Structures are given as C-alpha cells and as structure tokens.
Amino acid sequence: MKRQQFIEALGNIVGSTHVLVNGDLSSWEQDWRKRIRGKSLAVVRPVNVDQVSAIVRLSSEAGYSIVTQGGNTGLVAGSIPDDSDSQVVLSMQRMNTIRSIDIDNLTMTLEAGCILQSAQEAAEVAGYFFPLSLGAEGSCTIGGNLATNAGGTSVLRYGNARDLCLGLEVVTADGDIWHGLSGLRKDNTGYDLRNLMIGSEGTLGIITAATVKIYPKPAAILTAWAAVPSIDAAVELLRLCRQYLSADLTGFELINRSSLCLVNKHYPKLNIPFWEDCPYCVLLENSDDESEHHANSRLEHLFELAIEQGCVVDAVVSQNISQSNQFWLIRESITLAQASEGLNIKHDVSIPISSISNFVEQTDAKLKRAFPGIRLVTFGHLGDGNLHYNIQAPDFTNPADFIAQHENLISQLVYESVKEFSGSISAEHGIGALKVDILPLFKDATALRMMRSIRYALDPKGLFNPRRVIR
Ligand code: FAD
Ligand code: MLT
Ligand code: ZN
C-alpha cells in the first residue's frame, strides 16, 4: 500500500485529526533525555481498543511497523521511532479512562493511556491508595509503567509495576484482542501471559487496559532525611529500619553529594538538609497504620538509636505530610537537575545490597582515574539494591563531545564492575534502543534464545518496536 493511501486509511480508523504527519512532532519523536531523535511516518491517536486492533491489522498488511508510546518519559529511548520515516507512533494518550474500581476486590481497571498521577488520584478519591510512584508520575502512563515494569520509590513494600497488576487487555500482532482483565489473585491456568507482556517494552503486544491492585490508605506517611558518613553506614541504617519499622518501611533512597549539588544549583529554592556536610544522604519513608503522631515518634526514636550506633550523623524527621513531600521533591528533582545540567550517561544498575558499597568504591576509583574531573551522580533505591550510577561530564566540558568520545569506555568500565558484583545492567528502566547492543554481552545465551523464540512466535513479522530490546 502506498504511503498516502496508508495515512488516509489510518484517518478512516481514528479520524483524520488524530493522524499527525506535519508540523512539529518532536514531543513524539524525541526521547525524554534528548539522546535520540527519530522520524515517524505518522503519529496516530486511537481512542479505544477496537481502533488499536484495526490500526495493527492495517499496518501489518501495509508492512509498516508500530512503536507504541505512552507518556514518552522512558529513559532508554524505546518509545520513539527510528529515523527511517517508516514507523507509526501509536500514541495511547487518548485512551485514559478509569473503567471501574472494585472496593471489595481491591482493584482498579483503567485504560493504558491513563497518567499514573490520575490513577493515584482516582484511588485516593475512592478512599484507597495506588502505591506505584515515580518522578515522572505527572506524565508517564500506566501502560508504559507496565510495559517497562517500572520500579520507583515504593518497591520495597509494594513491589514493581508487575506486582501490582492482576490483569491485562492486549492487542496482539495479528490485531486480535486478548481479554485478560481478570482481577483474580489466583489463576493457574497455563502460561503466565500477563507477566510475559509486563516488561516486554512494547515488543510482544500493545497493552490497552489493566486491572491493578489498590490498598487501604495508611493512616500517615512520614519521611526522614539523614546524613550518613558512608554507604556502609546507609546499609546499617537500612538494617535498623527493617528491624524497627518492618513492613512500615516503604521507601529507602540513597543520594550522593554530587546529586544534591546539582539539585541545589538548578533548584536553589529547595531547602536541602545537610547536603554539604556528608558524602551521602538517605531519604526514608514510614507508612503508619496508627497516626501521624505515632509515625513521627517512631522515627524520632529510630534516629536516636541510629545516631547512638554511629550510622547517622544527623537527621530531620518530617512533622507532617507537607514536610514529607518537600523531602520527596528534593529526591525527585535529581533527574530534572541532571537534564538541566546537560546530556548525561545513565547506568540503572542493581547489585546485591551487601555489595553496593564495594561496587561504588571500586567503580568510582576506576572512573576517576580514567577520567579526571568526571562527576559521579549516584543515587537510587538502595532498599531495592537499585542504583542510578549516572555520569555528568566534567565542569566546563561540552557534554555532547564528552559523551561522543567517552560513553562507550565509561559504560564498559561500569558494566564490567556490575558483572563482577553479580548485578544487572538494567534494574528498572529496561533495554529500549540504548542498551539493545550491550544486552547480549550480559544476558545468558540460553535466556536470549528463549526471548527470541517468544518474540518470533508472537510477532513473526517484527511489527512491534523492531530493533528494541533484542535484535
Ligand atoms: P513510554 O516512555 O512512552 O514508553 C516506554 C516503553 O514502553 C516503550 O518501549 C514503549 O514502546 C512501551 N509502551 C508504552 N506504552 C505501552 C503500551 N500501552 N503497550 C505496550 N507498550 C507500551 N522509571 C522507573 O522505573 N523508576 C523511576 O523511579 C523512574 N523515575 C523517572 C523519573 C523521571 C523524571 C523520568 C523522566 C523517568 C523516570 N522513569 C522511571 C522512567 C519512565 O518514567 C518509566 O519507564 C515509565 O514507566 C515510562 O512510562 P511512559 O508512559 O512514559 O512510557
Ligand atoms: C529515578 O529514580 O529518579 C529515576 O529512575 C532515575 C534516573 O534519572 O536515572
Ligand atoms: Zn529510579
């Protein structure tokens, strides 16, 4: 089918105003980190699952591939087209309805284009709580969260996106609709297709809706901000929190001084405690079933113990939810501050918590030796063993030039360390386009063969997100 005919046929499915081919399409074609810019054949914006199915059948017949896009906040360039001018960006933005909330079953069924923050708000209005939370929650979508198996800041207690999902509605590469929106917590009827789709980054099917778990709201959620002398001390604090708060510990984040230095530079109005005094700070969260007063006194007592033990130098405990949110705002601003500082290199790694301190010490030393002046922006979800071991070019160096010259060697050094410490090269962001060539170097060969077989079985024509995740 000729290109123009194809575009008209797309218009017949969704209405021509929802097929974008001209004008500034950068918000669909440029990745969030500004690392890659693609060129699409068209951006198409369906409003329901039948339209998605029709678009898939049409594209398959016409021989054009599809890149599904949610909020385009992914950090591995998996949601943008390549530069071939022959891929359709299928934007889920208009499919954003909350279909239902089932209080007795503690579930919410919503369309894939629903913004994460809207999902949280819908649960809150019903008097409940949807715990998935990440810095991009104002623009990422539930479909994107599931497609990437997003992590975020409450994994410690509630798990990754996968753990929060009970059912899916998916359009397959044949254009068929899999009606899998069950809210069942037990269902052993063969292969787990839901978990196959989750984390597949748009390569196995298009998620059009999901049924997710909601929870009773904790009576109070309070945070504390602590200055710690080392990562070992942070791990000791984590151990203490686990003993003292047990399941009420819902977040445990580590942040190094360089990260806070960037936040302070780009967001000078944020009042960051202790950032100049210590090499690392910890932000931890306590969800309490009794009251704000109870949450506060438990945290105060915890830090008396921690200071006595020497793993904490100083700490501030929030008195109320608004102070808690202030601490989270500092933490969530790191990615934005990094972006304002210029292009950067991200390594989203996981390492057994017991080895993180050695990993950082060794890798920091290797990089500082090889690249004097390099800025190591290290932060992340220590409670999950997930570090964002990010790199910013030295001061007064052009970031684009620095990355062009040194990214490969820097990442090689980092990933060699990750391998040495039995870690993973992608903890929560996925593989996308940016890590597709390095995955085979770190993934078990048999696992890769099985992944290829699955992909070929479900999408033999390579219609969905070609050359993403695995080639
Ligand atoms: P997109 O970026 O649009 O897409 C991501 C991938 O999913 C692509 O491969 C795309 O093809 C596929 N996809 C999207 N929608 C669908 C669908 N409906 N069906 C099938 N495939 C689909 N990630 C974390 O895990 N933890 C964090 O703490 C975190 N913090 C972040 C903070 C900031 C400031 C930013 C910018 C990003 C952060 N991210 C984080 C990364 C990103 O927000 C997540 O990966 C998010 O889940 C992506 O959702 P999205 O809707 O933007 O997906
Ligand atoms: C975060 O946790 O803030 C993001 O996942 C990290 C990043 O920017 O690397
Ligand atoms: Zn993260």
Side-chain angles (χ1 to χ4, degrees):
M1 190 184 291
K2 294 255 168 55
R3 192 183 170 91
Q4 194 49 40
Q5 228 182 328
F6 175 66
I7 290 170
E8 277 166 27
L10 285 175
N12 292 338
I13 297 170
V14 295
S16 55
T17 49
H18 296 298
V19 182
L20 315 179
V21 282
N22 299 315
D24 179 11
L25 300 182
S26 53
S27 55
W28 292 274
E29 293 179 338
Q30 168 87 69
D31 77 307
W32 191 90
R33 293 173 56 199
K34 305 208 175 353
R35 293 298 306 271
I36 302 187
R37 173 80 200 249
K39 173 81 190 84
S40 65
L41 187 164
V43 175
V44 60
R45 303 180 347 121
V47 76
N48 59 44
V49 62
D50 293 325
Q51 290 186 355
V52 175
S53 159
I55 293 165
V56 170
R57 287 187 206 282
L58 174 71
S59 306
S60 174
E61 260 169 51
Y64 294 113
S65 55
I66 294 177
V67 176
T68 307
Q69 190 176 96
N72 197 17
T73 67
L75 299 174
V76 288
S79 52
I80 51 154
D82 63 20
D83 57 7
S84 64
D85 195 15
S86 66
Q87 297 188 316
V88 175
V89 173
L90 189 142
S91 165
M92 298 300 291
Q93 282 164 329
R94 293 173 69 219
M95 289 187 63
N96 56 13
T97 306
I98 307 278
R99 290 192 188 162
S100 61
I101 294 187
D102 181 341
I103 295 301
D104 287 338
N105 202 39
L106 282 177
T107 51
M108 172 165 66
T109 297
L110 67 179
E111 289 182 343
C114 190
I115 301 288
L116 174 55
Q117 195 173 316
S118 311
Q120 296 165 344
E121 284 164 6
E124 168 116 36
V125 167
Y128 288 80
F129 174 60
F130 181 54
L132 186 65
S133 175
L134 40 130
E137 63 199 22
S139 35
C140 65
T141 62
I142 202 75
N145 300 150
L146 290 167
T148 58
N149 186 25
T153 51
S154 57
V155 174
L156 190 59
R157 161 81 172 271
Y158 298 99
N160 294 293
R162 179 191 304 288
D163 302 293
L164 297 169
C165 180
L166 294 173
L168 289 179
E169 178 186 86
V170 171
V171 173
T172 70
D174 301 321
D176 291 342
I177 301 170
W178 168 38
H179 298 280
L181 282 177
S182 99
L184 301 177
R185 283 170 167 79
K186 290 190 160 187
D187 180 13
N188 282 346
T189 51
Y191 302 141
D192 192 336
L193 300 175
R194 175 194 66 207
N195 273 333
L196 191 57
M197 290 295 161
I198 296 173
S200 66
E201 298 183 52
T203 61
L204 301 182
I206 300 173
I207 298 170
T208 50
T211 298
V212 296
K213 295 181 197 169
I214 53 175
Y215 292 80
K217 267 199 298 196
I221 301 183
L222 287 191
T223 57
W225 187 276
V228 295
S230 64
I231 296 186
D232 280 326
V235 173
E236 198 182 325
L237 175 62
L238 174 62
R239 207 181 309 133
L240 191 68
C241 289
R242 284 194 192 120
Q243 280 164 4
Y244 191 70
L245 299 175
S246 61
D248 290 348
L249 178 69
T250 43
F252 195 97
E253 303 282 314
L254 178 80
I255 310 163
N256 81 346
R257 190 162 31 210
S258 302
S259 309
L260 295 174
C261 180
L262 286 183
V263 175
N264 187 58
K265 176 172 169 188
H266 294 283
Y267 299 95
K269 289 199 178 133
L270 291 178
N271 194 5
I272 311 174
F274 318 126
W275 78 270
E276 282 170 301
D277 310 337
C278 258
Y280 292 96
C281 286
V282 164
L283 167 60
L284 64 89
E285 185 184 81
N286 168 29
S287 298
D288 196 281
D289 285 334
E290 277 191 36
S291 64
E292 211 159 73
H293 174 72
H294 187 252
N296 179 270
S297 47
R298 276 178 100 195
L299 285 174
E300 296 279 3
H301 186 230
L302 171 80
F303 281 105
E304 275 167 27
L305 291 176
I307 290 172
E308 219 171 271
Q309 284 190 12
C311 59
V312 165
V313 177
D314 208 347
V316 245
V317 174
S318 66
Q319 302 296 317
N320 50 45
I321 186 77
S322 120
Q323 276 177 14
S324 271
N325 292 342
Q326 281 304 311
F327 291 154
W328 274 122
L329 187 60
I330 298 170
R331 161 63 182 88
E332 303 293 16
S333 302
I334 303 171
T335 306
L336 300 163
Q338 267 212 286
S340 304
E341 185 72 3
L343 295 178
N344 52 66
I345 306 173
K346 285 189 189 289
H347 304 104
D348 160 43
V349 304
S350 59
I351 309 281
I353 297 173
S354 42
S355 302
I356 284 189
S357 172
N358 286 343
F359 164 82
V360 171
E361 193 186 328
Q362 279 190 35
T363 319
D364 280 9
K366 267 200 290 194
L367 290 176
K368 283 180 185 162
R369 233 183 355 256
F371 303 97
I374 196 171
R375 286 178 289 168
L376 303 167
V377 181
T378 309
F379 63 99
H381 320 287
L382 184 67
D384 316 323
N386 175 192
L387 273 194
H388 299 305
Y389 192 82
N390 295 345
I391 311 290
Q392 210 83 37
D395 272 322
F396 313 112
T397 309
N398 179 303
D401 293 346
F402 181 81
I403 287 178
Q405 273 179 41
H406 303 302
E407 178 164 21
N408 287 347
L409 181 56
I410 289 174
S411 294
Q412 189 188 324
L413 292 177
V414 174
Y415 292 141
E416 276 168 6
S417 287
V418 169
K419 197 169 184 174
E420 193 186 325
F421 285 95
S422 310
S424 165
I425 61 157
S426 176
E428 58 172 9
H429 297 162
I431 300 299
L434 290 185
K435 294 185 183 168
V436 68
D437 289 324
I438 56 161
L439 182 68
L441 307 177
F442 295 93
K443 188 98 185 165
D444 176 90
T446 306
L448 277 173
R449 267 199 306 281
M450 289 195 282
M451 280 169 63
R452 283 204 185 88
S453 307
I454 291 168
R455 185 160 183 177
Y456 185 73
L458 293 187
D459 181 14
K461 286 186 176 173
L463 185 68
F464 291 157
N465 284 15
R467 295 174 297 284
R468 304 292 191 259
V469 185
I470 39 170
R471 283 187 188 274

